[in-house]
Amino acid sequence: MKKLILLGVVFILLAGVIGGFAYSEYVMKPEIIKKAILGKVQPTSEVVTEVATAESWRRAVPAIGTLSAVQGIDVAPETPGIVQSIGFTSGEEIEAGTLLIELGDGTEQASLKAALAQLRNSQISLKRQRELLGRGNTSRSNYDTAIASRDSDAAEVERIRALISEKSILAPFSGRLGVRKVDLGQYVSAGTVLVSLQQLDPIYVDFPIPEQHLDLIKVGDDVELRVDAFPKGKFSGKVTTIDSRVEQSTRNILVRAELANPAKQLLPGMFVNVRVLESKAQDVVAVRRTAITYSLIGDTIFVAKPDAPDAQKDKKEAAADAKSEPPKYTLEQRRVTLGVQRGDQIVVVDGVKAGEHVVTGGQNKIFNGQRVALSKVPPLKAPTERPKP
């Protein structure tokens, strides 16, 4: 009987020890660790932000165009001949009326002498017939025939002189010459291209736009151009002409703009990127494009809102906290409505106000309601030039 009582006491003691150990290990210890973790001050995450800015943007219609000269021709002779002299050098700037090329006119000069002799003979015959008609010694028909012969010979003289003048090829307008395509002594036929002549200032740009954008463009609108040959240059002009018909195969309409080209950097045939700007600017809120998180259910943005000061702290404590640590912000994820894009900036139509801090990177590492501090590291800037592959 005593052994049973002793065994029961031992069992109870062992159960108490085991239970106490289990309670300490699995209840008290986790609770102590939890309180220690919760009581420890967690480091505040930093986020890179930028301030949403209020700007005035003019809506733009993009297009791709080609430059063309206001006046541009391929200089060619009207008559065949041998190149006798060349009065220009390739790439030269010339004035209107400059003698460019002179073709040999020896045959025409000989023909002119013969025609002049025939004309003098016709004039003498006409004078004689006029005297005879005055004395009544000839008929009126002979006199009329003499007049017709004189006029025909005079016309032949003018024709030959016109042929001779065509041998001297003059610049019809001022401009820049291209590469010379003939040499001295070379025989050229009528229509052979001798050199190109282009008037470069001002210069035209022709570009097609879809017909649905026709209501956004009118004569007098400003135009901005960018050319691959001069990536740092920015050229501007104005719309001068809108075509009177729409191309049926493409449903595009051709638009022409004119721009000043005093340095004559722009050349006919160049490929250009065109933006036609509306006449009136609109006030918009713009943010960096990297601040937007795109998804199928909607576009969102994280806004860092400053935390309100603790009402229980007095002014001295609040000032001390402000000196000891940077101000805290709370992230708020918002759904936004986007507008047009320009470079690395995009318009936010609804969802963000000017002056608010928006997170511009690392959105996959943050969450709504998270307390953060603003990083002092400036955000990365987009390169001014697109990297070449």
Side-chain angles (χ1 to χ4, degrees), residues 55-62 216 218 220-224 234 236-239 275-284 340-342 347:
E55 300 181 10
S56 292
W57 279 22
R58 298 166 68 184
R59 185 167 52 177
V61 177
L216 303 178
K218 63 181 183 297
D221 283 350
D222 293 330
V223 174
E224 291 183 353
K234 191 175 182 180
S236 59
K238 289 186 178 294
V239 174
R275 294 172 67 245
V276 183
L277 305 176
E278 66 178 352
S279 56
K280 186 177 180 181
Q282 298 179 353
D283 295 331
V284 298
V340 297
Q341 178 180 326
R342 182 181 299 174
V347 170

Side-chain angles (χ1 to χ4, degrees), residues 206-219:
D206 297 331
F207 54 93
I209 63 166
E211 60 177 308
Q212 60 265 30
H213 291 164
L214 185 58
D215 63 327
L216 303 178
I217 295 179
K218 63 181 183 297
V219 173

Side-chain angles (χ1 to χ4, degrees), residues 230-251:
F230 307 102
K232 296 183 179 180
K234 191 175 182 180
F235 306 91
S236 59
K238 289 186 178 294
V239 174
T240 57
T241 309
I242 299 176
D243 203 357
S244 58
R245 65 186 180 89
V246 174
E247 183 64 38
Q248 292 185 358
S249 59
T250 61
R251 296 300 174 186

Side-chain angles (χ1 to χ4, degrees), residues 1-18:
M1 186 67 180
K2 291 181 179 180
K3 290 182 178 182
L4 292 175
I5 294 174
L6 183 59
L7 289 173
V9 172
V10 173
F11 179 77
I12 293 171
L13 292 174
L14 289 174
V17 172
I18 294 172

